[in-house]
């Protein structure tokens, strides 16, 4: 169950670009239930030959700017283009997408990748869409950030022509298999293509932090799940279509992009004491991407009611390489709040079950790993805490003001075993505890600008002939699950106050009609959204005794 990098070493050669492999969040099986929308990945006619790679200009979509093809590998070749961050991943159009050359941050870098079948037979490829192993409406939906990190690698060079320095990590193949097992195998005919959208620097907070303002060159590699992962899939689910997908190493031609200068400077990290060559620091970030949220992160000032993203930085402060194993989404670490009197309080929180994926990091001296962890929330009272959306971690309940906190990291409370019987972590890996430095944050009163914009949505329930349904019961939720409104409707009309600008999930019951759940309901201000119910059919049955 060791990953494709069996020796833990880089695939690159001296002088070449250094490959990076992104990792998603924790427990893919549960995260799969937090998404929405449907649709199939389009296949397009692939152009032959290479088109000229010219500097892309935002807003233009000239055919000659559509990227160069890389060399074919095992019947597959690919090309990439840098596109606007708001490009719709559900309908990635390689020829119409708005091109881009500059992004405000590394996380915003967005690429379209065209995978062309250049063989003379159909090929099965895994893209970024859910298969039929998940419940409606998720089959067919693209969830790039969940699947792409395990299918693609990216080679990054700085303006000086040198690879961007970052540590290496390896995931167990069984964990990679679990992350990809709910995906879709797509058949691509000869001469046709599969187009996917990827955000390669958003996968890896460690690399994104290393990619500061400046000019960069990137080459994308498509490897598919990898031979080892496919074999593991064949062992566990021999009948799955994913057991027959392509696995290899096809690379695109290099593309260039720029990260813009930012007026907001990142705060200095506060490092804890060095333990066996390692030291740690905590970084708290507002999860929103609004200008105010970015300012909050830069100043470590957060509004009450916010659930903050937690990033744990672990740095090699020694003089030799250090390796350790970690969950890809940590939740067993202790969050400690330190009062003005020096007294410490460890915050409690719920523990979320699921398949905990793990990976092995190898840090050279001076290198840092960034480990995502369960959120830390700040609220005014317990009533506000109950309204937080899950998953949510330790919660600071109190008035506005300054708070000091640290996190005590616990490594490897768990034990795993490889197929060869080797214990993971091994004796050569760091184990034990590590404490961050003490971070100070300011919690402020919530302001109107901290809340996302909302409107009053209007739903119209009707019969197939377009007539309003007299009465019924309805429940409206965000697609991710939080309840927005619940009650009865009359004359087909129901209003949803304070509705966010996003799709909804609507459950409705009405006498004489089938109970129905509508997914991805698109609502707009000043419009009524019609929803048609299907008349119920009479059901006849007979009850009999056992004899």
């Amino acid at each position: 169950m060791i990953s494709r990098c069996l020796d833990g070493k880089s695939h690159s050669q001296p002088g070449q670009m250094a490959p990076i492999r992104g990792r998603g969040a924790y427990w893919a099986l549960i995260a799969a239930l937090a998404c929405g929308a449907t649709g199939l990945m389009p296949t397009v006619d692939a152009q032959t030959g290479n088109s000229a790679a010219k500097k892309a200009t935002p807003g233009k979509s000239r055919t000659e700017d559509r990227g160069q093809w890389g060399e074919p590998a095992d019947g597959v070749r690919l090309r990439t283009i840098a596109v606007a961050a708001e490009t719709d991943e559900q309908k990635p159009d390689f020829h119409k997408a708005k091109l881009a050359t500059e992004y405000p941050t590394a996380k915003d870098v967005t690429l379209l990748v065209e995978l062309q079948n250049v063989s003379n037979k159909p090929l099965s490829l895994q893209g970024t869409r859910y298969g039929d192993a998940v419940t409606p409406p998720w089959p067919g939906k693209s969830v790039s950030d969940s699947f792409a990190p395990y299918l693609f690698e990216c080679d990054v060079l700085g303006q000086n022509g040198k690879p961007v320095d970052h540590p290496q990590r390896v995931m167990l193949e069984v964990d990679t298999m679990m992350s990809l097992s709910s995906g879709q195998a797509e058949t691509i005919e000869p001469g046709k293509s599969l187009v996917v959208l990827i955000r390669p620097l958003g996968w890896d907070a460690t690399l994104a932090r290393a990619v500061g303002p400046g000019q960069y060159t990137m080459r994308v590699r498509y490897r598919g799940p990898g031979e080892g992962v496919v074999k593991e899939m064949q062992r566990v689910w021999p009948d799955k279509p994913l057991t027959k997908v392509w696995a290899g190493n096809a690379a695109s031609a290099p593309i260039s992009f720029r990260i813009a200068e930012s007026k907001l400077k990142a705060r200095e990290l506060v490092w804890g004491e060095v333990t066996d060559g390692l030291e740690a620091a905590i970084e708290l970030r507002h999860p929103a991407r609004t200008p105010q949220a970015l300012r909050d992160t830069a100043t470590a000032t957060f509004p009450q009611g916010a659930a903050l993203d937690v990033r744990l930085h672990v740095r090699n402060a020694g003089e030799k390489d250090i390796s350790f194993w970690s969950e890809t989404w940590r939740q067993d670490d202790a969050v400690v709040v330190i009062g003005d009197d020096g007294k410490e309080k460890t915050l409690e929180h719920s523990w979320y079950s699921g398949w905990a994926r793990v990976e092995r990091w190898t840090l050279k001296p001076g290198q840092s790993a960034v480990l995502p962890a369960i959120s830390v929330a700040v609220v005014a009272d317990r009533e506000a805490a109950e309204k937080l959306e899950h998953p949510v971690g330790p919660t600071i309940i109190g008035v506005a003001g300054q708070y000091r906190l640290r996190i005590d990291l616990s490594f490897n409370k768990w034990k795993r075993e490889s197929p060869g019987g080797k214990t993971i972590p091994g004796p050569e890996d760091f184990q034990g505890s590590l404490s961050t430095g003490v971070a100070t944050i300011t919690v402020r009163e919530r302001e109107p600008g901290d809340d996302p914009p909302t409107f009053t949505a209007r739903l119209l329930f009707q019969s197939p002939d377009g007539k309003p349904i007299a009465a019924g019961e309805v429940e409206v939720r965000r697609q991710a699950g939080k309840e927005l409104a619940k009650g009865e409707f009359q004359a087909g009309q129901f209003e949803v106050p304070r509705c966010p600008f996003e799709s909804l999930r609507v459950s409705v019951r009405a006498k004489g009609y089938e109970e129905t759940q509508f997914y991805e309901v698109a609502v707009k201000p000043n419009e009524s959204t019609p929803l048609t119910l299907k008349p119920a059919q009479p059901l006849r049955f007979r009850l009999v005794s056992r004899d």
Side-chain angles (χ1 to χ4, degrees):
M1 298 190 296
I2 301 299
S3 115
R4 69 182 59 174
C5 302
L6 292 175
D7 55 3
K9 297 180 181 178
S10 165
H11 290 290
S12 64
Q13 299 296 323
Q16 291 183 336
M17 301 178 184
I20 58 134
R21 189 83 169 188
R23 303 296 178 199
Y26 176 67
W27 38 287
L29 297 181
I30 292 181
L33 303 179
C35 304
T38 59
L40 297 178
M41 182 71 71
T43 57
V44 299
D45 289 324
Q47 297 181 1
T48 58
N50 289 335
S51 56
K54 298 184 178 181
K55 184 176 180 180
T57 303
K60 294 185 178 181
S61 57
R62 301 179 349 181
T63 302
E64 59 267 30
D65 287 330
R66 299 291 111 168
Q68 276 189 308
W69 291 103
E71 292 296 322
D74 299 322
V76 173
R77 68 173 181 173
L78 65 150
R79 58 177 176 171
T80 59
I81 53 173
V83 296
E86 65 271 16
T87 302
D88 184 2
E89 74 169 90
Q90 305 303 327
K91 300 177 181 179
D93 192 318
F94 205 90
H95 300 285
K96 296 181 180 179
K98 180 180 176 181
L99 301 177
T101 55
E102 184 175 275
Y103 298 93
T105 69
K107 286 183 63 176
D108 295 308
V109 174
T110 306
L111 308 179
L112 287 187
V113 182
E114 181 177 355
L115 303 163
Q116 182 191 8
N117 179 0
V118 293
S119 73
N120 57 6
K121 62 181 180 180
L123 291 178
S124 180
L125 302 180
Q126 181 166 5
T128 60
R129 295 189 181 271
Y130 280 128
D132 57 8
V134 296
T135 58
W138 295 284
K141 173 183 170 60
S142 176
V143 279
S144 177
D145 293 344
S146 294
F147 290 130
Y150 308 98
L151 302 169
F152 293 88
E153 291 180 358
C154 294
D155 308 329
V156 185
L157 288 178
Q159 192 167 0
N160 58 5
K162 296 181 179 180
V164 174
D165 182 48
H166 64 282
Q168 297 297 311
R169 51 183 169 164
V170 179
M171 179 177 281
L172 294 176
E173 284 180 341
V174 66
D175 288 2
T176 304
M177 177 198 69
M178 293 299 295
S179 301
L180 293 173
S181 61
S182 57
Q184 183 180 94
E186 306 193 48
T187 300
I188 312 301
E189 298 294 332
K192 300 293 183 177
S193 295
L194 178 69
V195 178
V196 299
L197 178 145
I198 64 174
R199 305 174 187 88
L201 298 183
W203 302 333
D204 188 343
T206 301
L207 182 71
R209 186 173 179 85
V211 177
Q215 190 74 26
Y216 294 89
T217 302
M218 176 184 292
R219 176 184 286 116
V220 176
R221 299 178 184 274
Y222 178 71
R223 296 186 180 276
E227 293 182 2
V229 175
V230 172
K231 289 180 180 178
E232 194 68 23
M233 192 88 69
Q234 292 169 345
R235 181 182 67 83
V236 180
W237 292 296
D239 297 329
K240 260 186 176 289
L242 290 175
T243 61
K244 300 179 176 61
V245 296
W246 184 94
N249 183 4
S252 71
I255 62 169
S256 297
F257 60 88
R258 183 175 183 82
I259 304 299
E261 294 284 346
S262 175
K263 296 180 180 179
L264 299 175
K265 301 300 181 182
R267 290 177 62 85
E268 291 291 330
L269 297 174
V270 180
W271 296 94
E273 294 184 1
V274 177
T275 302
D276 294 336
L278 293 178
E279 58 185 356
I282 178 177
E283 179 187 9
L284 298 174
R285 304 176 65 89
H286 197 297
R289 300 289 294 166
T290 63
Q292 181 58 53
L294 295 176
R295 288 192 292 269
D296 286 345
T297 295
T299 59
T301 301
F302 305 105
Q304 289 179 327
L308 308 177
D309 288 342
V310 176
R311 296 180 178 180
L312 299 171
H313 295 250
V314 178
R315 183 166 66 184
N316 184 347
E319 298 179 351
K320 62 180 181 179
D321 292 1
I322 301 177
S323 63
F324 64 87
W325 287 85
S326 176
E327 302 92 325
T328 58
W329 188 77
R330 301 178 62 89
Q331 63 169 332
D332 284 331
D333 303 315
V335 177
V336 181
V337 177
I338 305 170
D340 293 336
D341 56 2
K343 292 184 178 180
E344 299 183 352
K345 179 182 179 181
T346 300
L347 302 179
E348 298 180 352
H349 69 89
S350 301
W351 191 87
Y352 296 88
S353 62
W355 185 275
R357 296 174 295 170
V358 299
E359 56 193 0
R360 186 175 192 254
W361 290 82
T362 300
L363 306 184
K364 296 178 180 179
Q367 288 186 334
S368 297
V370 183
L371 311 177
I374 192 170
S375 63
V376 170
V378 290
V379 296
D381 49 44
R382 294 193 177 277
E383 182 180 355
E386 294 295 327
K387 296 179 181 179
L388 292 169
E389 290 191 58
H390 293 276
V392 64
T395 302
I396 299 173
I397 301 176
V399 298
Q402 283 195 335
Y403 292 85
R404 297 190 302 150
L405 64 154
R406 76 164 190 272
I407 295 183
D408 297 333
L409 288 73
S410 178
F411 286 88
N412 312 131
K413 289 182 177 179
W414 48 267
K415 295 289 183 182
R416 299 275 289 269
E417 190 174 279
S418 71
K422 181 179 179 181
T423 300
I424 297 171
E428 70 278 12
D429 299 315
F430 174 88
Q431 300 182 52
S433 300
L434 195 63
S435 293
T436 69
V438 177
T440 301
I441 64 171
T442 300
V443 178
R444 59 174 173 80
E445 300 284 353
R446 198 166 186 85
E447 301 173 357
D450 295 319
D451 297 317
T454 62
F455 66 101
T456 298
R458 294 178 174 83
L459 304 176
L460 175 60
F461 299 102
Q462 61 185 20
S463 59
D465 59 6
K467 295 181 179 179
I469 295 173
E473 299 174 352
V474 62
E475 181 181 85
V476 181
R477 293 180 174 271
R478 296 175 59 179
Q479 192 60 51
K482 183 178 180 181
E483 183 179 293
L484 297 174
K486 184 178 181 179
E488 298 181 353
F489 67 83
Q490 300 290 332
Q493 301 283 341
F494 188 78
E495 291 189 349
V496 184
R498 298 180 298 279
C499 179
F501 283 80
E502 59 185 66
S503 298
L504 307 177
R505 179 154 52 99
V506 180
S507 300
V508 59
R509 299 175 64 182
K511 185 177 180 180
Y513 294 87
E514 292 183 0
E515 183 175 345
T516 306
Q517 185 159 200
F518 296 93
Y519 298 97
E520 290 295 320
V521 177
V523 289
K524 297 180 181 179
N526 304 317
E527 291 185 15
S528 291
T529 302
L531 298 173
T532 302
L533 300 186
K534 185 178 180 180
Q537 298 297 320
L539 177 65
R540 293 183 178 182
F541 59 91
R542 181 171 59 180
L543 294 177
V544 297
S545 63
R546 290 186 177 181
D547 57 0

